Amino acid sequence: MEGDFIKINKWLLPLSWCYGVGVKLRNLLFETGVLKSRSFQVPVIAVGNITVGGTGKTPHVEYLVRVLKDSFKVAVLSRGYKRDSKGFIIAGSDTSMHMIGDEPYQMKEKFKNVTIAVDKNRCHGIERLVENDKKLDVVLLDDAFQHRYVKPGINILLVDYHRLIIYDTLLPAGRLREPLQGKDRADIVIVTKCPKDLKPMEYRVITKAMSLYPYQRLFFSTLEYDNLRAMFPDAHNNKIQQLSDLQDHHTLLLTGIGSPQQLEHDLSPVITHLTPLTFADHHQFRKKDIQLINETFNALPSPRCIITTEKDMTRLKDTEGLSEEIKKNLYVLPVRVKFMQDQEELFNQQIIGYVRKNSRNSILAQSKDDNKPDNGNYSGDRPRTISFRNN
């Protein structure tokens, strides 16, 4: 597992040391109170990482939405990376991807009854969300582990199994955006993108190597894939629905995500002829990119098709120049998070319990017991003292 996708440039280590000094100084300013972290009355759950690249933030935020949306009024607040707008925006039915960014747009299309908003200033964004909806129960902060101006009630750190932070180093020699000690701020750590056949010994090795504190809980998750769906339904003339239907197809895997290696790894045993075409994360497809896609697809033998991700779909569907044959054979592969080791119920109870006990609209949050010491209830207004035992 060590160094699966980790490449450390030893020549850049002196620059990493300089970078680390700056990051440590920033963290020290927060820890000493020179820079302030704000708490909010509404429950806030932050999801993020301390590495450059994809750790599965959006699928995990979507998992939280599914857990909470039937019982609580949920809002998701994101920065809206690479959007063509500024300030606070709540997504509406006619809000374009360019106004809020690809990942918020993806969630807007999936969850019609959930408030999706963007604001680079997370404190301001939370304020506006609360003003906009007095019945709001919980705010999910997407990609906000390092946004220390907000003090969340639950801080969730995601760690890619293939790029474990314990084997990495700081930018620019490695991929860490802050020193390893940053993980100590997490209430929950999730090792993401794990192989489905992860051995019991590997669980124990990773658990020990992560060296978490008693107040932290370690979970493991993997990715599961839903049925394929046509990106341009009106153009399709075939009935491919499952990955197994593509076993004999020459398949172009088109991605512009942070870490496509796990997706390639998962699809390779199922699809015999898989050709990756990889762009940078959040890549905006231009005319020359569309031309490359057309040419790469045309070079594949028949039968052939294209698979892309939901995130890439948001940036592809409004582009011009895709050939009609591509539109007839272009599929989107939805992804979901699945917790391992039968941990799903434990994780769900942790999240639901926190929101239920701290929501402004919860009976429990308004009860007289609020003034008594709690037994494992998170509160953004005090140090976290909840303790867990890692198995």
Side-chain angles (χ1 to χ4, degrees):
M1 76 185 69
E2 179 177 351
D4 239 7
F5 300 143
I6 296 176
K7 294 181 180 179
I8 295 176
N9 189 331
K10 295 182 179 180
W11 296 102
L12 295 177
L13 285 174
L15 294 178
S16 294
W17 182 86
C18 295
Y19 173 82
V21 170
V23 176
K24 288 179 180 178
L25 176 60
R26 177 179 183 267
N27 284 336
L28 180 63
L29 293 176
F30 276 106
E31 289 159 9
T32 57
V34 176
L35 295 178
K36 305 295 184 181
S37 297
R38 281 189 59 187
S39 300
F40 293 86
Q41 290 185 341
V42 65
V44 176
I45 301 174
V47 179
N49 57 29
I50 59 172
T51 56
V52 174
T55 52
K57 292 185 295 293
T58 300
H60 283 81
V61 172
E62 291 181 352
Y63 181 94
L64 290 171
V65 171
R66 292 188 181 98
V67 168
L68 295 169
K69 66 182 180 65
D70 292 335
S71 301
F72 304 99
K73 195 72 177 292
V74 180
V76 178
L77 180 62
S78 176
R79 173 185 175 184
Y81 186 66
K82 285 195 173 182
R83 59 184 168 124
D84 296 336
S85 62
K86 295 182 180 180
F88 176 79
I89 296 176
I90 290 182
S93 58
D94 59 346
T95 304
S96 69
M97 183 276 296
H98 299 286
M99 290 295 292
I100 58 175
D102 51 9
E103 291 165 339
Y105 185 85
Q106 174 183 322
M107 287 186 275
K108 176 185 84 77
E109 292 294 286
K110 280 187 175 182
F111 307 110
K112 303 297 184 182
N113 296 323
V114 171
T115 300
I116 307 296
V118 293
D119 197 335
K120 183 178 180 180
N121 185 330
R122 305 302 175 87
C123 289
H124 177 258
I126 296 172
E127 288 176 349
R128 292 291 302 275
L129 284 170
V130 173
E131 291 172 2
N132 181 72
D133 188 351
K134 301 301 182 183
K135 296 183 178 181
L136 186 63
D137 288 310
V138 58
V139 176
L140 305 179
L141 291 184
D142 182 20
D143 194 12
F145 187 82
Q146 290 190 298
H147 192 90
R148 299 197 61 181
Y149 290 100
V150 175
K151 186 177 182 181
I154 295 184
N155 218 358
I156 300 177
L157 174 65
L158 305 182
V159 177
D160 189 338
Y161 167 86
H162 300 281
R163 200 165 59 223
L164 292 173
I165 57 178
I166 51 179
Y167 303 126
D168 211 339
T169 193
L170 285 169
L171 290 166
R175 305 297 294 273
L176 293 183
R177 295 190 289 186
E178 66 175 287
L180 184 60
Q181 290 77 11
K183 69 181 175 63
D184 297 345
R185 299 196 306 274
D187 302 294
I188 293 173
V189 179
I190 306 176
V191 180
T192 68
K193 302 182 181 180
C194 294
K196 294 179 176 61
D197 59 350
L198 197 63
K199 303 295 188 296
M201 178 60 72
E202 291 184 273
Y203 285 115
R204 292 193 288 271
V205 170
I206 294 174
T207 298
K208 183 177 180 180
M210 288 297 295
S211 187
L212 299 183
Y213 285 102
Y215 62 82
Q216 297 176 297
R217 180 79 199 190
L218 181 64
F219 292 88
F220 295 83
S221 70
T222 188
L223 298 178
E224 289 195 333
Y225 304 100
D226 289 341
N227 286 344
L228 294 160
R229 67 174 188 267
M231 185 164 157
F232 299 99
D234 295 339
H236 274 248
N237 55 13
N238 46 34
K239 297 181 179 180
I240 293 175
Q241 293 184 341
Q242 300 181 12
L243 287 172
S244 58
D245 296 332
L246 300 178
Q247 184 174 4
D248 298 323
H249 281 65
H250 291 265
T251 302
L252 182 64
L253 177 61
L254 175 61
T255 59
I257 57 178
S259 180
Q261 295 94 333
Q262 184 63 46
L263 181 58
E264 295 173 22
H265 178 270
D266 291 341
L267 296 186
S268 294
V270 183
I271 302 175
T272 305
H273 310 288
L274 188 67
T275 302
L277 181 58
T278 304
F279 295 88
D281 195 16
H282 302 282
H283 182 77
Q284 298 296 328
F285 295 100
R286 309 299 183 187
K287 184 177 180 180
K288 64 179 182 179
D289 302 319
I290 301 302
Q291 182 178 353
L292 175 61
I293 294 170
N294 287 335
E295 291 174 353
T296 306
F297 178 78
N298 291 335
L300 297 177
S302 296
R304 56 194 176 190
C305 71
I306 297 183
I307 292 178
T308 194
T309 68
E310 292 176 297
K311 178 176 169 178
D312 292 304
M313 177 193 69
T314 65
R315 288 174 277 110
L316 271 174
K317 70 175 187 177
D318 292 330
T319 59
E320 297 181 357
L322 289 174
S323 70
E324 289 304 313
E325 186 179 1
I326 283 181
K327 290 183 178 180
K328 291 179 181 179
N329 295 279
L330 179 52
Y331 294 89
V332 178
L333 181 61
V335 62
R336 285 178 181 249
V337 165
K338 179 178 176 59
F339 281 88
M340 308 175 76
Q341 290 188 307
D342 298 319
Q343 293 180 315
E344 180 173 324
E345 187 62 28
L346 179 62
F347 179 83
N348 293 354
Q349 289 177 357
Q350 178 96 26
I351 298 300
I352 293 171
Y354 160 68
V355 176
R356 179 174 290 130
K357 292 177 180 179
N358 291 277
S359 170
R360 295 177 304 165
N361 308 299
S362 168
I363 295 176
L364 287 175
Q366 299 173 14
S367 70
K368 295 180 180 180
D369 291 338
D370 280 353
N371 296 322
K372 299 178 181 179
D374 68 308
N375 296 314
N377 176 28
Y378 286 112
S379 170
D381 298 324
R382 60 172 173 80
R384 293 180 293 271
T385 56
I386 186 167
S387 297
F388 294 111
R389 185 186 302 276
N390 284 322
N391 295 325

